[in-house]
Amino acid sequence: MLAKHGVVISGLGRFTSHSPSSSTVLRRQQFLVRALCGSNSKIHRPKLIRAMSSTSEADAESVLRTVTPSLDPKRHKGQAGKIAVIGGCREYTGAPYFAAISALKIGADLSHVFCTKDAAPVIKSYSPELIVHPVLEESYSISHYSEESQREVQERVLGEVDKWMERFDCLVIGPGLGRDPFLLECVSKIMSLAKKSNVPFVVDGDGLFLVTNSIDLVKSYPLAVLTPNVNEYKRLVQKVLNCEVDEQNAEDQLRSLAKQIGGVTILRKGKSDLISNGETVKSVSIYGSPRRCGGQGDILSGSVAVFLSWAQQLKSGPESGSENPAMLGCIAASGLLRKAASLAFAKHKRSTLTSDIIECLGESLEEICPAS
Amino acid sequence: MLAKHGVVISGLGRFTSHSPSSSTVLRRQQFLVRALCGSNSKIHRPKLIRAMSSTSEADAESVLRTVTPSLDPKRHKGQAGKIAVIGGCREYTGAPYFAAISALKIGADLSHVFCTKDAAPVIKSYSPELIVHPVLEESYSISHYSEESQREVQERVLGEVDKWMERFDCLVIGPGLGRDPFLLECVSKIMSLAKKSNVPFVVDGDGLFLVTNSIDLVKSYPLAVLTPNVNEYKRLVQKVLNCEVDEQNAEDQLRSLAKQIGGVTILRKGKSDLISNGETVKSVSIYGSPRRCGGQGDILSGSVAVFLSWAQQLKSGPESGSENPAMLGCIAASGLLRKAASLAFAKHKRSTLTSDIIECLGESLEEICPAS
């Protein structure tokens, strides 16, 4: 993944010749190295310790500033991120749209959706900015096929997704996926393809239903992120830890859960968002809104995908840095969504919709991390 | 083409009786003649030399002012340009929409899209302003046909396009075309029809994939414009010049490439846009934005089509002027897109999408070249 972006950090400051704006990037990189490894800088240290210590509130705004790449006219299309959402079926079309458009609004260059044939024209009609592939199939459209023909359909679906896989910096698997068995089986295999190509993925919504029932799909894949809400988290805890959610020891339980799934990163959504990769636990409590309109989770999953892929670009080589891009991506996405939700709520109050929050993503990011 | 527009320039100043506003048009025409042929005018010469010398930065704003026709209440629908986009398939619908709506936003009177049956309802839903013809076919919908029936389908497709051909001032071939072999074969034949009718065309996106593999489709057609991005340019150079891209001699290499393809015009998109017809090379570096969201190339191809057709209206007869309308169209389109992108970026920063840039086309053109 690193080579694809043309930005490689190794040791304490060397960049490849592709580094687009070395002084800016160097500054950000030094900032990140200090954030991850500790530093003697009197200016940054208190903030960074707060951001990165093992169980505290993350400094989400600092992480956002660290992870977000500088814009440079020398870069070309695709270098700021290519995201794909796997989701969207006959029943659900809004969720994959929200995830995919959020990725663009944050600054990704290209955003794809892989959905069923029925969902595609609708998702396309929401926005000409998305590239929508009508390739997934649900049982109802193939139930009269022979077993062999069904296998052929599955192979075709996988081929259609796999030919794009290497181009993506991150997938979002689950928004508006539905629970059709044939579709979910295909999606299981798409997860395997992503792992084979080392493409990170964020699992949300019906993707979490799939993963909770087949935990091996994500187990020990360090580039997997799960973003459960209250109920999805409850089912995960029951299934994996074989117990109930323990609010008194929420952080320890989350850490155990992530560890038990082999070090995947879990973002547990709530009044405060809690994030763990099985080692550290971070919370993000800034901003936020009391409005709970459906769809905010889709903004979050699309945002995690972008910030994770940006953090991957900054990621130091295997010899350095203990923090992983998935943690940074989750902290950044949580902070940004919470700020956008609070801005949207200030404007629209009870009538705030998910689209209003999406419209505030750019302004929120600009306030925290000005583009120039 | 000239007769269609009712404006013919011959020698140094004579217009047909259709010329709608002779004093304004005369002024613009004299300006253009000086731009193309050189002049002793002390007022204009420095600017024009800068705009038109053989390898320098073009004065894109001057070219925009020269090429853009004055608005005159006496003119009727169609005289300011009729553009058609050939593109849009099951997978891609945003790109042809962006190209077609950009043409209208700049000032063309009519903008058509010829796409597949699946793409048409979606493209229609983006905007009621476009005329969308659901006439193209992809292999999947005709694969069970006999060879003869497939030939009949092809003939029908070509008939549907050809009956409109004479009415168009310029085609844009490629945005969201996809790579279906049956569809691409039809599009090859559409290019032949366009050449037969002397209709200029701009080739972008998947149209460039087609042309790179069959260079004869455009070879020696002076009304063809290719608008490759970094990767498309690389493939063109490899295929035609049988070597790699040489950044040290970018201008010479571009000139050689355009010459080798028989004097087509190539707009090589990048941090600076480089434009050559095999004779001169111009760069356009003004304005611009560091945002690289997908779809900006579609705005450019639609814009080139409009400005090229306007430059055709101004074009002097075969006996005069060394500069061609395709060069002027490319310079104008590049300058306008770069200005619109910079305005959109100033407003939306990292969240700038292609639709935001399209919304700034009118304002940008008005600032450079006020309508009244």
Side-chain angles (χ1 to χ4, degrees):
Chain A
M1 296 299 292
L2 288 175
K4 278 206 282 184
H5 301 294
V7 176
V8 176
I9 302 171
S10 68
L12 285 172
R14 196 171 55 77
F15 273 74
T16 67
S17 58
H18 293 99
S19 174
S21 171
S22 53
S23 67
T24 318
V25 176
L26 189 65
R27 222 167 39 243
R28 283 195 299 113
Q29 183 233 352
Q30 286 168 341
F31 185 91
L32 185 71
V33 168
R34 284 195 302 269
L36 299 180
C37 309
S39 155
N40 289 324
S41 159
K42 282 180 185 166
I43 300 166
H44 289 298
R45 205 168 184 192
K47 193 184 268 180
L48 294 169
I49 287 174
R50 202 168 70 242
M52 296 294 159
S53 66
S54 72
T55 56
S56 65
E57 173 76 5
D59 186 341
E61 296 196 350
S62 287
V63 171
L64 271 162
R65 280 188 284 270
T66 304
V67 166
T68 304
S70 58
L71 288 165
D72 191 297
K74 286 182 208 141
R75 304 190 91 185
H76 60 76
K77 184 174 76 177
Q79 288 187 306
K82 301 182 289 297
I83 305 301
V85 177
I86 314 288
C89 61
R90 190 163 56 160
E91 213 157 10
Y92 306 113
T93 51
Y97 163 75
F98 288 143
I101 200 77
S102 298
L104 286 180
K105 288 277 185 177
I106 290 168
D109 285 343
L110 292 164
S111 194
H112 293 241
V113 176
F114 292 81
C115 61
T116 69
K117 285 170 186 163
D118 293 323
V122 178
I123 299 173
K124 283 169 184 283
S125 75
Y126 293 146
S127 168
E129 312 280 351
L130 305 177
I131 299 166
V132 181
H133 307 263
V135 298
L136 304 181
E137 295 278 1
E138 288 180 86
S139 302
Y140 74 88
S141 66
I142 53 142
S143 55
H144 57 290
Y145 287 17
S146 68
E147 259 191 47
E148 201 190 319
S149 297
Q150 293 197 9
R151 260 197 309 278
E152 281 169 15
V153 170
Q154 192 184 79
E155 274 166 31
R156 190 179 46 70
V157 170
L158 294 173
E160 292 283 345
V161 179
D162 200 30
K163 73 183 183 194
W164 288 90
M165 189 63 80
E166 290 279 342
R167 306 188 210 184
F168 295 130
D169 298 307
C170 191
L171 307 182
V172 182
I173 301 177
L177 197 56
R179 296 194 176 180
D180 179 76
F182 182 84
L183 181 50
L184 290 185
E185 202 186 320
C186 282
V187 172
S188 302
K189 293 189 194 314
I190 291 171
M191 286 188 188
S192 301
L193 294 173
K195 287 190 283 185
K196 215 168 125 189
S197 298
N198 254 341
V199 174
F201 56 77
V202 183
V203 186
D204 192 44
D206 295 314
L208 285 170
F209 168 80
L210 173 64
V211 159
T212 304
N213 292 326
S214 313
I215 210 77
D216 281 347
L217 288 172
V218 295
K219 197 163 190 176
S220 303
Y221 186 53
L223 298 175
V225 175
L226 315 183
T227 53
N229 62 20
V230 174
N231 287 324
E232 291 156 349
Y233 186 71
K234 189 177 162 191
R235 283 194 293 268
L236 257 181
V237 167
Q238 287 169 338
K239 190 82 180 198
V240 177
L241 298 181
N242 209 18
C243 64
E244 294 304 315
V245 172
D246 177 4
E247 291 299 349
Q248 298 307 309
N249 297 295
E251 297 197 352
D252 287 341
Q253 190 175 47
L254 176 63
R255 188 191 289 111
S256 301
L257 180 65
K259 195 164 200 154
Q260 189 70 27
I261 313 178
V264 301
T265 300
I266 303 174
L267 193 171
R268 180 195 168 177
K269 296 178 279 196
K271 185 165 172 289
S272 288
D273 294 328
L274 274 185
I275 303 157
S276 180
N277 61 350
E279 300 292 329
T280 58
V281 184
K282 297 286 170 195
S283 66
V284 180
S285 312
I286 52 165
Y287 305 111
S289 140
R291 185 78 170 97
R292 292 288 174 268
C293 51
Q296 294 184 57
D298 306 310
I299 304 178
L300 185 74
S301 62
S303 307
V304 171
V306 177
F307 289 115
L308 191 167
S309 64
W310 286 349
Q312 283 271 102
Q313 290 186 21
L314 285 173
K315 189 182 183 303
S316 48
E319 75 283 10
S320 65
S322 62
E323 199 63 65
N324 77 17
M327 285 292 290
L328 294 170
C330 287
I331 292 166
S334 169
L336 183 68
L337 170 60
R338 297 174 74 96
K339 184 169 172 74
S342 76
L343 280 182
F345 185 74
K347 289 180 191 173
H348 303 280
K349 301 293 178 182
R350 289 178 200 277
S351 73
T352 306
L353 301 187
T354 293
S355 302
D356 301 318
I357 300 173
I358 290 172
E359 282 312 301
C360 291
L361 286 171
E363 184 184 346
S364 304
L365 187 55
E366 185 62 18
E367 278 183 20
I368 295 169
C369 176
S372 55
Chain B
M1 295 300 294
L2 290 174
K4 280 205 284 183
H5 300 296
V7 177
V8 177
I9 302 171
S10 69
L12 287 172
R14 196 170 53 79
F15 274 75
T16 67
S17 59
H18 292 99
S19 175
S21 171
S22 54
S23 67
T24 319
V25 175
L26 188 64
R27 222 169 37 243
R28 283 196 299 116
Q29 184 235 351
Q30 285 168 342
F31 186 90
L32 185 72
V33 168
R34 284 193 302 269
L36 298 178
C37 308
S39 156
N40 289 322
S41 159
K42 281 179 185 169
I43 300 167
H44 289 297
R45 206 169 184 193
K47 191 184 268 178
L48 294 168
I49 287 173
R50 201 168 70 243
M52 296 296 160
S53 67
S54 72
T55 56
S56 65
E57 173 78 4
D59 186 342
E61 296 195 350
S62 287
V63 172
L64 271 161
R65 280 188 284 269
T66 304
V67 166
T68 304
S70 59
L71 289 166
D72 190 298
K74 285 179 213 145
R75 302 190 91 185
H76 59 76
K77 185 172 77 177
Q79 286 188 307
K82 300 180 289 300
I83 304 301
V85 177
I86 313 290
C89 61
R90 188 165 57 160
E91 214 158 9
Y92 305 112
T93 50
Y97 163 74
F98 288 143
I101 199 76
S102 298
L104 286 181
K105 288 276 185 179
I106 290 167
D109 285 342
L110 291 164
S111 194
H112 292 241
V113 176
F114 290 81
C115 61
T116 69
K117 285 172 187 163
D118 293 323
V122 176
I123 299 173
K124 285 168 184 282
S125 77
Y126 293 145
S127 168
E129 314 280 353
L130 307 176
I131 300 165
V132 182
H133 307 261
V135 298
L136 304 181
E137 295 278 1
E138 288 181 87
S139 301
Y140 75 88
S141 66
I142 52 141
S143 56
H144 56 289
Y145 287 18
S146 69
E147 259 189 49
E148 201 191 321
S149 298
Q150 293 195 10
R151 261 197 308 279
E152 282 169 15
V153 171
Q154 193 184 80
E155 274 165 30
R156 190 177 46 70
V157 170
L158 294 173
E160 292 283 345
V161 179
D162 200 30
K163 72 182 182 195
W164 287 91
M165 189 64 81
E166 290 280 343
R167 308 188 209 184
F168 295 131
D169 299 307
C170 190
L171 306 183
V172 182
I173 301 178
L177 197 57
R179 297 195 176 179
D180 179 75
F182 182 84
L183 180 50
L184 290 185
E185 203 187 319
C186 282
V187 172
S188 302
K189 294 189 194 315
I190 291 171
M191 286 187 188
S192 301
L193 294 173
K195 287 190 283 187
K196 216 168 123 189
S197 298
N198 254 341
V199 175
F201 56 77
V202 183
V203 186
D204 192 43
D206 295 314
L208 285 170
F209 168 80
L210 172 65
V211 159
T212 303
N213 293 324
S214 312
I215 209 76
D216 282 346
L217 288 172
V218 295
K219 199 163 188 174
S220 303
Y221 185 54
L223 298 176
V225 176
L226 316 182
T227 54
N229 63 20
V230 174
N231 289 322
E232 291 155 351
Y233 186 71
K234 188 177 163 192
R235 285 194 291 269
L236 257 181
V237 166
Q238 286 169 340
K239 191 81 180 199
V240 176
L241 298 181
N242 208 19
C243 65
E244 294 303 316
V245 173
D246 177 5
E247 290 300 347
Q248 299 305 310
N249 298 295
E251 298 198 351
D252 287 341
Q253 191 173 46
L254 176 64
R255 188 191 290 110
S256 301
L257 181 66
K259 195 164 200 155
Q260 189 72 28
I261 312 178
V264 301
T265 299
I266 302 175
L267 193 170
R268 179 195 170 178
K269 297 177 278 196
K271 186 169 171 284
S272 288
D273 295 328
L274 274 184
I275 303 157
S276 180
N277 60 349
E279 300 293 329
T280 58
V281 184
K282 297 286 167 194
S283 65
V284 179
S285 313
I286 52 165
Y287 305 111
S289 139
R291 184 78 169 98
R292 293 287 173 269
C293 50
Q296 294 183 58
D298 306 310
I299 303 179
L300 185 74
S301 62
S303 308
V304 171
V306 177
F307 289 116
L308 192 166
S309 64
W310 287 348
Q312 283 270 103
Q313 291 188 20
L314 285 173
K315 190 182 181 305
S316 49
E319 74 283 11
S320 66
S322 62
E323 198 64 63
N324 74 19
M327 284 294 288
L328 294 170
C330 286
I331 293 166
S334 168
L336 183 68
L337 170 60
R338 297 174 76 97
K339 184 167 171 77
S342 77
L343 280 182
F345 185 75
K347 289 180 192 172
H348 302 281
K349 301 291 179 182
R350 291 178 200 277
S351 69
T352 307
L353 301 187
T354 293
S355 304
D356 300 320
I357 301 173
I358 290 171
E359 282 311 302
C360 291
L361 286 171
E363 183 184 346
S364 303
L365 188 55
E366 186 61 19
E367 278 183 19
I368 296 169
C369 177
S372 54

